[in-house]
Every structure is written in structure tokens, then in C-alpha cells.
Amino acid sequence: MMRLSVGSLGGTVSMQAEAAGQGVTPQLDCEALLAMLPQLRNIARIRTATLCLLPSASLGFETLLEVLAWAREEVEGGAQAVVLTQGTDTLEETAWFLDLLWPFEEPLIITGAMRSASQPGTDGPANLLAAVQVALDVCSRGRGVLVVINDQIHAAAAVRKTASLAMAAFESPGSGPVGVMVEGVARYRHPPLPRQVLSLPAHTTQRVALLESCLGADTALLQALPQLGYDGLVVAGFGAGHVSLAWAEAMMALASHMPVIVATRTGSGPTARSTYGFVGGEIDLQAKGMRMAGALCPRKCRILLWLLIGAGDVPQLEQWLPR
Ligand code: GLU
């Protein structure tokens, strides 16, 4: 039998109410999650670890680095795949963070649930079963970190939570999922693509701000960033990556001190590079020293920049966000 490691971090998949009428909170450890699917023990030799029991809003980069260290040790110790369960609220960010640092061919699969463990029709066990099936599938090798949820398989770079409470809460806008589950089997749309991986960060105290441009917004927060100790900035810009004239000027002042990336706040589609010529448009912003995010969403840009700053590898932005 194949060797699989399953780690749990908390989230709705692990949540129950402590007493009738109370809200749900993380309760179930990894063994309890696995106990809902006794058949898994017949398809793989499974090691479990309850790595934390948190709502995913409270996961942080330090915790994720510990999770990564655990997952690396499992693979180095012989695991042929790793599955993580966590809350869905920040899953798109944790998946990308781990993907950028996952050096192995072995799959690292992340899943969660939209309905808590005590709700009728909970999706946790079905998602966990699908995640294990994907993890053990030889076709999943070499694809980095994948998100398996609602019978879809998403690439870490593209996946986003696009609905707050719906069961179909995840999408990969623009590209679509990389695969789907059909009768318990992963069906991929294309072979694995070449991957690049970042060095582990040597520092973890760097700070990267993420601000969204909004109609009529002033520049007070932008101007305060250097004295607040920020080392980088991501702006979720209008449309194809645009900001107001006032923001363009404030951001130009920042770009001489720190990397500034401009993404789109629209939720889908890439930023432009060579279309708009007005002040605050992408041509102007690039001339002022900023980088356009392409198809990478603002939240994923922040994670990329945080990791690059932490590893002293900011010049690698060239590779990740080519001009
Ligand atoms: N809907 C979220 C979840 O699926 C809430 C809690 C969390 O993200 O941890 O888990």
C-alpha cells in the first residue's frame, strides 16, 4: 500500500458546536477526521498529525513554515503524498504559499469543507476522500500543491474562493480547474507544467502591505507605509491595473524605496502592459518603477513578494512577473 501523511489545521471541516445553539468552532483532530472515512485505511498506510486547530483566518506565515517543515519531513521519511485539511477562508493563500516552496514531485493536496462536521450533508468527508484519491494518483505527481474541493482540482496559482457560503465556493477564474474527479478518479486536462520553486525565507519579519484602490480614496495610508516599517506594497488596482493620479504619484515615491506590484481588483483576467497611456494607467505605473502582476491576484502577489523579500531574492520578480 502507498504511504500517505495527513495533517489537519482546523477550519470548518473540523468544526462542531460545543453545545446546542452555540456557533461551531474547531474541535476535531486529524484522527477524528480520518475516523469518518474508515475505508481510507484499506487504500493507504496513513500517518496523521494534528498540526493546529485554528480557524484559517488565524493561520500565519510562521505556522505555514512549520506545516511545510512537517510535510517535507514526511516526504523525506517515505510518504508518497501529503494531504492537508484547513479552513477555506484562506485556502487560496496557503496553497500558493506552500506551492512556491514545495520542492518535491510528491503531491501536496489541500482540502476543506463549506459545511461543518455536524451539519447535515457536510462536505468534509467527501472532500477528504477526493483529496486522498488525488494524492495517491500517479498523474498528480509533479504538479506541486493542488486544491481538491467540490470534485474539482485547482492549481495553487489560480484558485480563489469566490463565494462566501455556497458549496461551490472555489473557482480558478480564467483558466478553470486543472482537473475534475470522475467516479473517484482524477481526470486532468493537461500534463504537469514546468514549475519553479523559491528558496526558504531566511527572514520572517518583513511586511508587505496590500491596499485596494477605491474611488475617491486619499493617499494617507500609502504615504504612511515607510514609517510604519513596510518593505513592499501590492495594490489591487482598478480594471487592468490602474490607480488615480494622486495614487500614481504617491506610489512612485514608494517605488524608489520598496518593490511595488500592481494587480487587478476585478477578480479575473490579467493586468494590461501596453494599452493605457493616462497617468495612473499601466504604462505610466511601469515607467514609475512598478511591476504589473499579470494574472496573479493581489493576495497571491503579496505572498510571492513576502517570500522573495524573506529570501533576499526580490530581483527574481523579473521571472515571476515578466514585463
Ligand atoms: N468557511 C470557512 C471554512 O470553510 C470558515 C472557517 C475557516 O476558514 O477556518 O473553514
Side-chain angles (χ1 to χ4, degrees):
M1 276 200 289
M2 284 181 75
R3 290 170 65 181
L4 172 74
S5 295
V6 182
S8 66
L9 307 181
T12 298
V13 65
S14 71
M15 291 196 197
Q16 288 181 336
E18 276 195 271
Q22 286 187 358
V24 295
T25 55
Q27 305 283 335
L28 302 181
D29 65 13
C30 198
E31 280 296 325
L33 291 178
L34 268 275
M36 295 183 199
L37 292 166
Q39 66 270 42
L40 291 186
R41 302 280 182 187
N42 300 327
I43 59 174
R45 268 200 290 154
I46 302 179
R47 279 160 55 93
T48 62
T50 303
L51 300 168
C52 58
L53 207 45
L54 290 170
S56 70
S58 295
L59 296 171
F61 294 156
E62 298 280 357
T63 309
L64 289 184
L65 289 171
E66 285 164 23
V67 170
L68 178 72
W70 169 81
R72 289 177 71 122
E73 269 172 39
E74 291 301 301
V75 169
E76 281 156 6
Q80 288 153 294
V82 178
V83 170
L84 292 171
T85 62
Q86 69 153 88
T88 58
D89 284 358
T90 61
L91 205 155
E92 63 191 88
E93 287 167 87
T94 58
W96 177 234
F97 184 101
L98 295 171
D99 187 55
L100 287 171
L101 299 173
W102 187 245
F104 304 110
E105 287 284 298
E106 284 80 354
L108 173 52
I109 310 296
I110 314 187
T111 192
M114 292 304 293
R115 289 187 183 147
S116 68
S118 50
Q119 258 178 293
T122 178
D123 49 333
N127 286 339
L128 180 54
L129 175 61
V132 170
Q133 288 164 334
V134 172
L136 298 177
D137 193 315
V138 68
C139 296
S140 303
R141 289 178 63 83
R143 294 177 188 268
V145 175
L146 298 169
V147 172
V148 174
I149 199 152
N150 196 32
D151 280 340
Q152 293 185 323
I153 310 168
H154 295 272
V159 68
R160 298 185 73 163
K161 187 174 187 180
T162 56
S164 57
L165 290 165
M167 295 294 283
F170 285 83
E171 288 178 80
S172 292
S175 56
V178 292
V180 290
M181 293 303 289
V182 180
E183 299 177 315
V185 177
R187 300 262 187 249
Y188 288 100
R189 301 219 157 101
H190 53 72
L193 299 169
R195 310 180 55 232
Q196 11 171 19
V197 182
L198 299 178
S199 309
L200 280 171
H203 308 283
T204 56
T205 51
Q206 64 278 15
R207 303 168 77 196
V208 178
L210 167 53
L211 296 178
E212 182 167 306
S213 53
C214 317
L215 192 65
D218 64 46
T219 58
L221 288 174
L222 286 172
Q223 283 170 328
L225 291 181
Q227 75 225 40
L228 290 174
Y230 279 88
D231 306 290
L233 168 66
V234 177
V235 169
F238 301 114
H242 303 152
V243 298
S244 66
L245 200 152
W247 271 46
E249 275 163 19
M251 285 159 63
M252 179 172 70
L254 290 174
S256 52
H257 302 293
M258 61 177 78
V260 178
I261 302 175
V262 185
T264 171
R265 67 174 198 170
T266 59
S268 178
T271 51
R273 302 215 185 264
S274 55
T275 300
Y276 289 96
F278 58 84
V279 177
E282 77 281 357
I283 295 173
D284 174 55
L285 296 177
Q286 290 170 98
K288 288 184 161 99
M290 289 158 241
R291 299 202 151 265
M292 304 309 293
L296 207 58
C297 84
R299 296 185 277 267
K300 293 187 203 273
C301 287
R302 174 176 166 270
I303 283 167
L304 173 66
L305 189 51
W306 188 88
L307 286 170
L308 286 173
I309 294 172
D313 282 336
V314 173
Q316 276 193 32
L317 261 181
E318 284 286 343
Q319 266 163 260
W320 291 88
L321 308 174
R323 283 189 198 276

